[in-house]
Amino acid sequence: MDAHFTGIAEVLEVPSVAVVVDVMRAYTVAAWAFARGAEKIVLADSPAEALALKARHPDWVTLKDGPPAPGFDLVNSPGLLSSADLGGRTVVQKTTAGTVGALAVKDASLVLCAGFVVAEATARFLRARECAGVTFVVTGEDGRAEEDLACAQYIAGRATGAVTEPAEFLRRAAGSRAAAELGSGVREGAHPDDVALCLELDRFPFAMVATWEDSLMVLRPCAVPSPADGAPV
């Protein structure tokens, strides 16, 4: 598999296969939302779009980065979301980088969204599809976020079926600027457990696939069969 790592602004051509990585915190939050029962997640282009969708669909659940805000039901924190009851609900998510990255590659033939919590499932999905080339979109810090790059490189290694030890990749993520800001309380709308939850490797057994549905970018969980190809697990 030919892996290419890029920031959002560097996506100049539509890739065939894209994996959009936001560890802290968009796609950790998305995975938790599915684990708490959400049916689908609509990735909004702007806060205004999220609020407009909420106005048309009052039963949908809206969430965003930062502190609580009028019109938004939740904030983008796995620690705050991990006890929410989202059974059967549609979630509308707008974040600073993660949702922007997914929308930047919306025309790709396959778009996966990932963090460490779904790393192995994402890698198995790529292996099952026998993807020859994959563009990993590193969403944070203009493509330089260490936690996102480490996660992307780990998934890329696992997608080849190679024995890839996770400890160094998780260490890099734990030492990232995002982890420091979350741990010190610099970022609003955070929970003390957010960093630890974002670094829970393979917490969930599903990959997350984003598709264009009715003019919206919609993220859904996708069950991934246990490996049967003899690749290391």
Side-chain angles (χ1 to χ4, degrees):
M1 186 189 78
D2 180 24
H4 176 60
F5 304 92
T6 184
I8 297 172
E10 297 165 343
V11 179
L12 303 179
E13 298 180 356
V14 178
S16 176
V17 178
V19 178
V20 184
V21 181
D22 190 323
V23 173
M24 297 183 188
R25 294 163 283 173
Y27 295 128
T28 301
V29 166
W32 269 102
F34 290 130
R36 299 303 301 165
E39 178 184 349
K40 64 182 180 181
I41 297 175
V42 176
L43 305 177
D45 181 58
S46 65
E49 182 187 27
L51 292 174
L53 288 167
K54 176 74 171 182
R56 294 201 299 271
H57 306 278
D59 59 325
W60 287 11
V61 177
T62 47
L63 68 86
K64 62 177 281 294
D65 280 334
F72 287 89
D73 304 297
L74 298 167
V75 296
N76 191 49
S77 160
L80 294 172
L81 192 74
S82 61
S83 60
D85 180 5
L86 298 174
R89 305 290 292 277
T90 293
V91 174
V92 181
Q93 185 180 34
K94 170 65 183 92
T95 70
T96 305
T99 57
V100 176
L103 289 165
V105 293
K106 62 182 173 56
D107 294 323
S109 59
L110 173 63
V111 179
L112 299 171
C113 296
F116 279 111
V117 291
V118 294
E120 183 61 27
T122 304
R124 291 207 310 268
F125 192 103
L126 294 171
R127 288 206 303 268
R129 291 294 183 95
E130 298 182 345
C131 299
V134 179
T135 295
F136 288 86
V137 181
V138 178
T139 59
E141 299 178 34
D142 297 323
R144 297 186 298 274
E146 188 65 15
E147 73 283 2
D148 294 339
L149 181 58
C151 183
Q153 291 171 338
Y154 177 73
I155 293 171
R158 293 295 297 141
T160 66
V163 176
T164 306
E165 294 297 329
E168 177 60 18
F169 298 93
L170 291 169
R171 185 199 65 76
R172 288 166 53 194
S176 67
R177 174 182 171 184
E181 291 180 351
L182 284 172
S184 65
V186 170
R187 297 192 182 188
E188 296 184 278
H191 185 278
D193 293 338
D194 278 355
V195 173
L197 290 172
C198 290
L199 298 180
E200 281 194 312
L201 184 66
D202 304 330
R203 172 70 186 251
F204 305 113
F206 51 79
M208 299 187 293
V209 180
T211 56
W212 199 241
E213 301 178 19
D214 299 323
S215 300
L216 297 171
M217 194 67 165
V218 177
L219 188 65
R220 297 180 186 272
C222 180
V224 181
S226 297
D229 57 4
V233 295

